[in-house]
Amino acid sequence: MRSFDKFKIWVLLICLVFELGYGFYLPGSYPHKYGVGDLLNVKVNSLTSIDTELPYSYYSLPFCQPQEGVKDSAENLGELLMGDRIENSPYRFKMYTNETEIFVCQTKPLSGEEFKLLKKRIDEMYQVNLILDNLPAIRYTRKEGYFLRWTGYPVGIKVQDAYYVFNHLKFTVLVHKYEETNVARVMGTGDGAEVISTVGKDGSEEPGYMVVGFEVVPCSVQHVPDSAKNLKMYNKYPTPIKCDPTTVAMAIKENEPVSFTYEVNFVESDIKWPSRWDAYLKMEGAKVHWFSILNSLMVITFLAGIVLVIFLRTVRRDLTRYEELDKEAQAQMNEELSGWKLVVSDVFRAPSNPGLLCAMVGDGVQILGMGVVTIMFAALGFMSPASRGTLITGMLFFYMILGVAAGYVAVRLWRTIFCGDHKGWISVSWKAACFFPGIAFLILTTLNFLLWGSHSTGAIPFSLFVVLILLWFCISVPLTLVGGYLGAKAPHIEYPVRTNQIPREIPPQKYPSWLLVLGAGTLPFGTLFIELFFIMSSLWMGRVYYVFGFLLIVMILLVVVCAEVSLVLTYMHLCVEDWKWWWKSFFASGSVAIYIFLYSVNYLIFDLKSLSGPVSATLYLGYSLFMVLAIMLATGTVGFLSSFWFVHYLFSSVKLD
């Protein structure tokens, strides 16, 4: 009887988990129900510009501040690293209550510095980013019969020689009636049960609403300074305000104040809460995006299939011919023919700088694992744009946890290279723990000094720097050492052949082998260069990237092509008696990073034409270098491990005396 009761409990728990799974909407947070008249607070994010790529605090400009003072909202690690600074604002609404001509404040007369700074931010095309109920403000503009979507609105605009600020905001809040079925709660013990309804005593319930859209229309309106002298915040402006986005009137001048007002209109919409992010996720040129990706996938799959078929047939034929001969014929064949069979005693000779190779392969496994796991979680909807910073936070978390894999692979490869000798495994673990993070820390610190000098919110605060260092040395490094310890205890991979003490002389080559290695990166680059454009646009043009499902497919295809390219190059080197395949197999697929960096430079020249100033260009190239280094380690590791498996399989399949 007890076992049956336990079985019922487990069934109930499983049903509850399934219900929670179906009821939880992954791409975002839970819906918030607002009653009529409830207060809605608008938040502000950092000012951003595609002209400089340097974010600044909203209150770095002479804007109105809230009555309770400026307060930071709760931010995660990813938001801080991305330069987001979310703060409260003076804009506030009452649910389903339309208001017009609401006075916010009148600034003090603009000083010379404030006037110059405001003109500079207008010239640099800075955008104001507002947030309501976790939704960024969206602005629609019409151009040549098409509606264009923008997040945020510009600080101002320059017309001829005059500068105009957008000081009146027309908000439109789209709301949807809160849908909640009246589910009765069943409470009871034993055989009796009592049904308690959730409906109130009078049989009715106050309607609630959810925010499903947040639109803004900025206007430049000329206010009379004397009319705003005695007004307090949220008072009604004494004269009617007409918001016409096609005209500008509020020209900023030195030693003159600026008045700010707003109006809000609530509109009931058919958009349901799970679909409220659709307006942000519709990327421009979506049809071209999908068609290009599918075309790229088909072409690269076809080419990779051809390479794989030819390669397998060549190797299989070579092995079959060799195994069908008797021992005397094999000996005669070894004397007469050249090829990979002649380097049997040198193919597993330790490479130059084995410790560095082990560290790079270990870091590559860590980065590749982080990328795959992060993209999988993002494709499932756990890291949506609704949760700002979760993508970066998740990447950091997975990277630190996968330090175990980095240490394990690095130390086990070290022991394999030296035929089971575990001496020096601690040094290898430390190299794996510090190689990539050390270079990344050096690059980011240099860029951070530039951001500090520019007083940008993109600069990592000193306290966060300390937190990152503690995460590195207190979590990542110990986990890497644990992985190294496990790798030292694990059995090493035994070589199928013996290595001679005297290395075989490599015959002169018709062409430089490194030239072929560098050219091998073109095929992996062909798998991702189209997707790379959309990723770069998301990073530098302020567009939302959310096609992680396709990105996962492209990444899997990239891994397959990197493995195939490295296998073919390794086989070609062995066929010309070049037994130094270790580093070449790594860079055969890792050379794709060179083409990605060249593409980044091309993107800077032709797509980011408006990027101004040496600081912005240095930041762009620095972050691109950081990204390219990570890609090189990940793709190079795929190529090396696949080549190592192939060489081990190839020479273990041949009968040798």
Side-chain angles (χ1 to χ4, degrees):
M1 189 68 182
R2 289 183 179 178
S3 61
F4 182 70
D5 290 338
K6 289 181 180 179
F7 174 76
K8 288 196 295 183
I9 292 172
W10 278 109
V11 169
L12 287 172
L13 285 174
I14 293 171
C15 291
L16 179 62
V17 169
F18 272 98
E19 286 298 320
L20 288 173
Y22 282 111
F24 181 64
Y25 176 71
L26 289 177
S29 56
Y30 59 91
H32 195 291
K33 176 185 175 182
Y34 295 97
V36 176
D38 285 355
L39 200 62
L40 299 175
N41 291 308
V42 177
K43 297 179 181 180
V44 291
N45 204 343
S46 299
L47 304 173
T48 55
S49 169
I50 60 173
D51 187 63
T52 65
E53 301 295 347
L54 297 172
Y56 289 98
S57 170
Y58 173 81
Y59 293 108
S60 63
L61 293 180
F63 289 143
C64 299
Q65 297 190 4
Q67 290 177 330
E68 64 274 17
V70 179
K71 297 178 181 178
D72 291 334
S73 296
E75 295 168 332
N76 55 44
L77 192 61
E79 280 183 309
L80 292 172
L81 292 175
M82 291 296 292
D84 289 341
R85 295 294 183 272
I86 300 177
E87 299 163 317
N88 59 336
S89 81
Y91 299 106
R92 66 183 189 186
F93 318 136
K94 294 178 181 178
M95 173 55 78
Y96 224 109
T97 305
N98 297 337
E99 295 177 294
T100 58
E101 296 142 11
I102 301 300
F103 176 75
V104 182
C105 80
Q106 179 173 281
T107 65
K108 296 178 181 178
L110 296 177
S111 64
E113 291 184 1
E114 290 175 334
F115 178 65
K116 290 179 182 177
L117 183 62
L118 204 52
K119 289 198 302 181
K120 184 180 179 183
R121 295 291 180 260
I122 293 174
D123 282 333
E124 293 170 341
M125 299 185 295
Y126 269 87
Q127 302 280 321
V128 178
N129 299 292
L130 304 176
I131 301 170
L132 176 65
D133 194 44
N134 208 30
L135 278 180
I138 196 168
R139 175 171 58 96
Y140 291 95
T141 57
R142 193 179 186 89
K143 186 177 182 182
E144 298 177 358
Y146 293 95
F147 277 106
L148 300 178
R149 292 179 295 271
W150 308 88
T151 53
Y153 66 91
V155 172
I157 189 171
K158 181 182 179 183
V159 179
Q160 296 178 351
D161 293 332
Y163 289 86
Y164 297 87
V165 68
F166 291 116
N167 61 333
H168 179 80
L169 301 179
K170 182 180 180 181
F171 295 107
T172 301
V173 181
L174 305 181
V175 295
H176 188 82
K177 192 167 289 185
Y178 190 84
E179 299 173 355
E180 183 180 20
T181 55
N182 289 328
V183 180
R185 296 194 301 256
V186 180
M187 300 176 61
T189 56
D191 298 328
E194 183 181 1
V195 178
I196 304 175
S197 175
T198 59
V199 183
K201 292 181 180 180
D202 56 354
S204 63
E205 189 176 0
E206 291 185 2
Y209 294 92
M210 301 173 290
V211 177
V212 294
F214 184 37
E215 301 172 6
V216 62
V217 176
C219 298
S220 181
V221 178
Q222 180 66 54
H223 293 113
V224 181
D226 294 336
S227 301
K229 276 187 176 180
N230 299 322
L231 290 178
K232 295 183 179 179
M233 188 175 286
Y234 308 122
N235 285 352
K236 194 173 182 68
Y237 198 74
T239 57
I241 299 174
K242 183 181 179 182
C243 181
D244 185 4
T246 60
T247 60
V248 289
M250 185 59 210
I252 56 172
K253 297 178 182 178
E254 191 173 351
N255 296 322
E256 288 192 9
V258 180
S259 298
F260 289 88
T261 54
Y262 72 91
E263 59 184 282
V264 59
N265 184 36
F266 287 83
V267 178
E268 195 161 344
S269 171
D270 294 332
I271 300 172
K272 295 189 177 181
W273 189 85
S275 305
R276 67 179 192 157
W277 275 90
D278 289 357
Y280 304 88
L281 302 182
K282 289 178 182 177
M283 303 177 69
E284 302 298 332
K287 292 183 179 179
V288 177
H289 178 79
W290 299 114
F291 176 77
S292 300
I293 293 299
L294 288 172
N295 182 60
S296 176
L297 288 174
M298 288 189 294
V299 171
I300 297 302
T301 305
F302 180 70
L303 291 175
I306 291 177
V307 170
L308 188 61
V309 169
I310 294 175
F311 179 62
L312 288 178
R313 288 186 63 183
T314 304
V315 175
R316 186 175 296 174
R317 183 184 60 196
D318 222 351
L319 283 174
T320 304
R321 284 181 56 199
Y322 194 78
E323 290 178 354
E324 286 178 351
L325 302 174
D326 55 19
K327 293 182 179 180
E328 294 181 3
Q330 287 180 14
Q332 185 179 0
M333 187 177 178
N334 285 340
E335 293 176 1
E336 294 177 356
L337 300 178
S338 62
W340 58 268
K341 297 168 286 295
L342 298 180
V343 296
V344 64
S345 300
D346 295 278
V347 71
F348 290 109
R349 190 176 300 279
S352 57
N353 299 316
L356 180 61
L357 178 64
C358 293
M360 292 175 71
V361 171
D363 285 345
V365 169
Q366 190 175 9
I367 294 169
L368 184 65
M370 173 203 70
V372 172
V373 175
T374 303
I375 293 174
M376 285 181 64
F377 272 87
L380 291 172
F382 285 100
M383 298 177 181
S384 71
S387 304
R388 290 176 185 80
T390 53
L391 192 66
I392 301 296
T393 306
M395 290 174 69
L396 281 173
F397 174 76
F398 294 134
Y399 180 82
M400 289 188 297
I401 296 300
L402 288 169
V404 177
Y408 178 83
V409 172
V411 171
R412 195 172 182 198
L413 179 60
W414 170 266
R415 294 189 63 225
T416 299
I417 291 175
F418 291 100
C419 303
D421 188 5
H422 65 274
K423 291 182 179 179
W425 71 268
I426 297 179
S427 175
V428 173
S429 299
W430 271 101
K431 287 179 181 177
C434 298
F435 178 74
F436 175 71
I439 297 177
F441 184 79
L442 182 64
I443 294 174
L444 294 178
T445 303
T446 304
L447 298 180
N448 211 52
F449 277 118
L450 294 177
L451 290 168
W452 270 335
S454 303
H455 304 287
S456 170
T457 57
I460 301 174
F462 180 76
S463 58
L464 184 58
F465 243 97
V466 175
V467 170
L468 291 175
I469 293 174
L470 290 175
L471 289 175
W472 179 13
F473 284 101
C474 297
I475 298 179
S476 183
V477 171
L479 287 177
T480 308
L481 292 174
V482 169
Y485 175 77
L486 296 175
K489 293 297 181 182
H492 69 282
I493 302 171
E494 295 185 1
Y495 294 146
V497 293
R498 290 187 299 236
T499 302
N500 291 339
Q501 292 184 351
I502 302 175
R504 179 186 179 87
E505 185 178 354
I506 299 174
Q509 308 296 322
K510 295 181 181 179
Y511 47 83
S513 60
W514 284 103
L515 189 63
L516 198 61
V517 168
L518 294 177
T522 54
L523 191 59
F525 178 72
T527 64
L528 53 80
F529 82 95
I530 296 177
E531 195 69 21
L532 194 62
F533 170 78
F534 292 97
I535 295 173
M536 299 289 280
S537 298
S538 173
L539 290 174
W540 302 106
M541 302 293 285
R543 298 174 184 170
V544 179
Y545 184 89
Y546 202 59
V547 283
F548 290 105
F550 263 94
L551 183 60
L552 183 61
I553 296 172
V554 170
M555 190 171 187
I556 293 171
L557 191 58
L558 176 66
V559 169
V560 173
V561 174
C562 285
E564 290 177 348
V565 165
S566 187
L567 288 179
V568 173
L569 263 292
T570 301
Y571 183 69
M572 291 175 63
H573 283 112
L574 293 179
C575 285
V576 294
E577 301 177 38
D578 185 357
W579 47 267
K580 295 182 178 180
W581 59 272
W582 298 79
W583 281 106
K584 290 170 185 175
S585 66
F586 185 93
F587 287 112
S589 53
S591 61
V592 67
I594 297 174
Y595 299 97
I596 294 176
F597 188 75
L598 293 176
Y599 180 85
S600 301
V601 175
N602 174 79
Y603 189 85
L604 172 64
I605 296 172
F606 294 102
D607 292 279
L608 294 178
K609 297 177 184 178
S610 61
L611 198 65
S612 62
V615 174
S616 300
T618 304
L619 286 171
Y620 174 84
L621 293 174
Y623 286 125
S624 298
L625 187 64
F626 170 71
M627 177 183 70
V628 161
L629 175 64
I631 292 174
M632 184 202 70
L633 292 173
T635 54
T637 296
V638 172
F640 172 79
L641 293 178
S642 57
S643 293
F644 183 86
W645 168 84
F646 164 70
V647 172
H648 190 278
Y649 174 78
L650 183 63
F651 284 92
S652 62
S653 302
V654 180
K655 298 176 182 178
L656 296 168
D657 292 333

